[in-house]
Amino acid sequence: MSDIDKLIEILTKIRGGFYHFTDTRNLALIRASGLLYTRAQKEKERVAIAPGGNDWSLDADRRSGMDAFVHLCFFDDHPMEWIARQQGRIADSLFLKISPQVLRIPDTLIVDTVSNRADAVPRPAEEMIRNLDLKVIYTRTDWKDPAVQERLKAAKKCEILVPSHIPINLITNIPNG
């Protein structure tokens, strides 16, 4: 059994998944298109969206090619979402829960830090799963322990990068409208 199969099995048992935060103003587009698009695709089609990233982050994504991926995180909270709400880029946010089956999409990558950092090295999901701190992500640990807090802080920066788009059938909690 591959590492991808093992992680999908674990997540299926615990009804887990991955997350993508978005402004609720973007939900109509997602429902209408049936897809969760990448930033580059939205710009190409001149689709108006409410972005979560600031100008620096969006520019860094373009320069690094990360705008060609849908970015997912392992937690249903994210520091960037909080900042986007505080700065008014997102009015009302929703963490879309994405099925673990997304790991089966060809050319899906994982990076063990923020993807648009200069030293970030996204790698194939199969290769990177064994490098993730799955214990701190998926099990109860001593959250008061400073070492665990640092591990958790690092894990919250990890990203799953899905090329092109995510089909709506892999979004498990999209509201009907």
Side-chain angles (χ1 to χ4, degrees):
M1 182 181 281
S2 74
D3 286 344
I4 287 176
D5 293 331
K6 289 176 190 172
L7 183 54
I8 289 172
E9 184 177 298
I10 291 167
L11 290 173
T12 301
K13 283 181 183 174
I14 64 170
R15 294 189 180 151
F18 308 112
Y19 299 91
H20 176 85
F21 69 87
T22 191
D23 192 299
T24 56
R25 293 174 289 181
N26 296 327
L27 294 176
L29 172 65
I30 295 167
R31 281 192 296 270
S33 67
L35 303 168
L36 178 57
Y37 281 115
T38 66
R39 177 80 183 164
Q41 186 65 30
K42 291 173 192 168
E43 288 179 356
K44 179 180 172 188
E45 295 184 15
R46 300 187 193 286
V47 174
I49 59 161
N54 61 21
D55 289 341
W56 179 91
S57 174
L58 298 174
D59 287 342
D61 279 351
R62 279 186 211 99
R63 282 191 308 274
S64 65
M66 292 296 106
D67 62 337
F69 294 88
V70 179
H71 298 236
L72 305 178
C73 56
F74 288 87
F75 299 90
D76 61 355
D77 69 341
H78 197 278
M80 196 165 88
E81 180 268 345
W82 185 86
I83 291 168
R85 279 189 295 110
Q86 296 306 306
Q87 294 178 347
R89 291 190 308 278
I90 290 181
D92 186 27
S93 65
L94 174 67
F95 276 84
L96 297 173
K97 187 174 181 183
I98 310 299
S99 165
Q101 296 294 329
V102 75
L103 291 173
R104 296 193 193 287
I105 293 176
D107 301 320
T108 294
L109 306 173
I110 296 177
V111 63
D112 59 1
T113 188
V114 178
S115 62
N116 61 16
R117 274 181 43 165
D119 61 347
V121 182
R123 306 290 307 155
E126 178 70 32
E127 183 181 322
M128 286 298 289
I129 287 173
R130 64 187 75 100
N131 295 332
L132 298 172
D133 190 345
L134 297 177
K135 185 173 181 179
V136 80
I137 295 172
Y138 294 118
T139 62
R140 289 200 170 276
T141 54
D142 181 3
W143 302 116
K144 294 177 184 174
D145 180 339
V148 171
Q149 289 176 4
E150 285 304 308
R151 289 171 52 205
L152 182 62
K153 186 177 173 183
K156 285 188 174 190
K157 293 178 182 178
C158 297
E159 296 182 45
I160 297 164
L161 304 167
V162 182
S164 182
H165 65 273
I166 295 174
I168 199 166
N169 67 315
L170 293 181
I171 304 173
T172 63
N173 70 332
I174 191 157
N176 289 328

